[in-house]
Amino acid sequence: MMRVAVIGAGIVGVTTAYELAADGHDVTVFERRGSVAEETSFANAGLVAPGYVTPWAAPGMPGKVMRHLLSRHSPVRLSGWPNPSLVLWMWRWWRACSPDCYAINRRRMYGLARYSQQRLRELGETLELDYERRLGCLVLLRTARDLALARSGMELLDAMGVRVSMLDADDCRRIEPALGQAAPLHAGIHLPDDEVGNCRQFAQLLKAHAQRLGADFRFQRRVLRVEPGAEPMIEHQLAGDEDPGDTGEAPPQLDRFDKVVVCAAIGAVHLLRPLGLRLPLAAVYGYSLTAPLRQHEGEEPLGPKGAVMDEKYKVAVSRLGSRVRAAGCAELGGSLQRTSPAAVETLYKVLNDWFPGCGQLAKARHWKGARAMLPDGPPVIGASGIEGVWLNLGHGSSGWALACGSARLLADLLAQRAPAIDPEGLDVCRVSPSRHNRP
């Protein structure tokens, strides 16, 4: 048994804490917010679709991004002028868009996503977790051109063994009867084994199980620094929940552990830089809106039965219990405090196109989250090359889809146990070649 600190209690941090506690380790979680899943994991789309977990760095993507930037309802946005670190990230992303790099990284991400979905289902069934899970994802194609562009991706899904079928408009409406009639609908792609679930609710439920196994969650604690070594130390301080930059007057404290696992997403940058590790992480912001579903007495609520993806605008519309959520956009630059009205407008457009009148929009809640993304796509999982410090971060927009598998993989590697999947290419050497996987 080891004393292990986990920094960050988003979905990746919570699943990591649970798997380590389930292995018998003495686990302490440090989180600057007042609860789990309060930031990037708070209101994401909820999709768990392994076949659609792909690198953003793909052949032809730079040209698509440039064209998108000129569109009113663009799925990709650039907020302001990029700073030098973002320019460097974009250069590395551009280099990773080669066909060879894309093929390798897609294989890595799909293998991890498929394993993660299996682990998610195991945990859900074994622990009897109710996180508003629904099966099935329907990708909507508005035009014949959208269909032509999607065919190569569908062929790749089929080659990977993903159960997938092409549908005409009538079949799409049989699967999702509430689809609106006004928006153009040419065809659809149905993935019956994919699913949607409430990420935040799952994190809260799994946290409770981790606590039953002895995990100690310390909320409103800002980690100031990590001191590596055979017994690494964490310096932390009480932090205000409303303002994460306000550490108050409480004196900092030092705690010693056997291992430290950094799951702090974009917050990992300032913790790792003093240790000599500069990971190329960038914040790619996503948006969502969530509203109560309308329901007429004695009838099924309006809205989707499961998850629907608008392929043109890259917006997912999900059914989460008695609520509907529209989520999408990839915004580079900017900040959490500055909201793009155009990005929010696109969410409303897609929701109203496909499910008009389904939500009580006067009660809609908006969210914006920073997703820590590496330029080539896959996360980094395992030893950092710094003594005593381990990593589980860089999942980008796929944190929910990759979290359970990433956590189990990290726990196996830390225990020096053969993992269920090949971790090749998921280590720190991929993004920082000078590092060696020293435990």
Side-chain angles (χ1 to χ4, degrees):
M1 183 185 79
M2 290 184 281
R3 296 163 300 162
V4 185
V6 175
I7 303 175
I11 187 61
V12 173
V14 172
T15 51
T16 299
Y18 172 81
E19 295 290 3
L20 291 170
D23 279 359
H25 299 298
D26 182 3
V27 179
T28 303
V29 183
F30 294 89
E31 167 56 44
R32 65 182 182 176
R33 298 293 190 178
S35 184
V36 301
E38 287 286 298
E39 296 190 34
T40 306
S41 307
F42 184 79
N44 56 30
L47 277 177
V48 179
Y52 272 79
V53 175
T54 62
W56 204 42
M61 192 64 175
K64 289 181 183 179
V65 169
M66 293 303 295
R67 290 191 295 273
H68 281 317
L69 294 177
L70 303 175
S71 169
R72 177 185 175 189
H73 293 293
S74 172
V76 182
R77 299 182 182 276
L78 186 62
S79 179
W81 290 102
N83 58 38
S85 62
L86 182 55
V87 170
L88 179 59
W89 185 93
M90 294 173 72
W91 177 76
R92 295 184 69 160
W93 165 75
W94 174 77
R95 290 189 62 189
C97 286
S98 71
D100 289 345
C101 285
Y102 172 76
I104 292 170
N105 288 322
R106 174 153 190 168
R107 173 182 55 78
R108 290 166 176 164
M109 293 184 75
Y110 173 70
L112 179 59
R114 185 174 59 181
Y115 174 55
S116 188
Q117 185 183 42
Q118 293 169 358
R119 185 59 182 155
L120 171 65
R121 290 177 174 178
E122 288 171 3
L123 291 173
E125 293 171 8
T126 303
L127 303 178
E128 299 181 341
L129 305 179
D130 179 8
Y131 55 98
E132 300 175 324
R133 174 176 178 256
R134 285 175 174 265
L135 275 175
C137 178
L138 181 62
V139 182
L140 300 178
L141 306 168
R142 291 174 178 255
T143 65
R145 183 174 182 273
D146 292 340
L147 173 58
L149 293 173
R151 283 195 183 279
S152 61
M154 188 174 174
E155 291 169 1
L156 184 56
L157 291 176
D158 188 60
M160 291 189 299
V162 178
R163 200 154 64 103
V164 58
S165 57
M166 184 70 71
L167 307 179
D168 62 20
D170 290 338
D171 287 334
C172 289
R173 290 193 163 90
R174 275 191 282 271
I175 290 174
E176 288 288 355
L179 281 175
Q181 299 290 330
L185 176 57
H186 183 76
I189 299 171
H190 188 223
L191 299 114
D193 297 328
D194 289 347
E195 57 196 272
V196 62
N198 189 325
C199 174
R200 182 174 180 238
Q201 188 164 310
F202 180 89
Q204 291 171 329
L205 294 170
L206 197 65
K207 179 208 75 168
H209 282 278
Q211 288 175 316
R212 293 187 188 103
L213 293 171
D216 177 18
F217 283 78
R218 300 186 186 180
F219 294 111
Q220 296 186 334
R221 283 280 158 181
R222 172 174 287 276
V223 174
L224 303 177
R225 67 183 178 92
V226 176
E227 185 176 312
E231 291 188 319
M233 289 193 298
I234 285 182
E235 183 180 23
H236 57 95
Q237 192 173 41
L238 186 66
D241 187 40
E242 294 183 0
D243 180 6
D246 177 14
T247 56
E249 299 298 325
Q253 300 177 29
L254 279 173
D255 285 318
R256 192 181 299 275
F257 299 91
D258 296 310
K259 304 291 180 188
V260 172
V261 184
V262 181
C263 305
I266 203 67
V269 174
H270 84 273
L271 290 175
L272 297 173
R273 185 176 294 138
L275 307 182
L277 181 54
R278 293 178 175 268
L279 291 181
L281 285 167
V284 179
Y285 297 99
Y287 290 78
S288 74
L289 70 88
T290 307
L293 283 164
R294 293 188 189 279
Q295 183 174 10
H296 301 297
E297 189 174 349
E299 296 182 5
E300 181 76 10
L302 302 174
K305 288 185 172 294
V308 167
M309 169 66 76
D310 186 304
E311 183 67 11
K312 179 176 181 179
Y313 298 111
K314 307 297 184 187
V315 170
V317 181
S318 308
R319 169 82 172 271
L320 296 171
S322 60
R323 302 172 309 287
V324 63
R325 177 170 295 164
C329 188
E331 180 183 276
L332 288 161
S335 67
L336 283 173
Q337 291 71 38
R338 185 168 61 198
T339 299
S340 166
V344 177
E345 182 186 346
T346 299
L347 300 181
Y348 278 102
K349 170 184 168 51
V350 172
L351 179 60
N352 287 323
D353 278 355
W354 296 121
F355 300 100
C358 78
Q360 302 177 48
L361 298 185
K363 299 179 180 179
R365 298 182 63 183
H366 298 165
W367 169 86
K368 180 180 182 181
R371 304 170 297 198
M373 188 179 292
L374 290 159
D376 59 349
V380 170
I381 304 167
S384 69
I386 301 164
E387 188 176 14
V389 179
W390 289 65
L391 307 174
N392 191 2
L393 44 78
H395 299 75
S397 58
S398 302
W400 174 221
L402 298 176
C404 292
S406 298
R408 187 62 256 164
L409 175 60
L410 184 284
D412 287 338
L413 292 173
L414 190 142
Q416 298 184 344
R417 184 169 48 230
I421 63 170
D422 186 357
E424 183 274 329
L426 299 176
D427 60 6
V428 73
C429 299
R430 189 189 86 244
V431 292
S432 184
S434 62
R435 290 285 167 188
H436 301 288
N437 287 338
R438 189 168 110 194

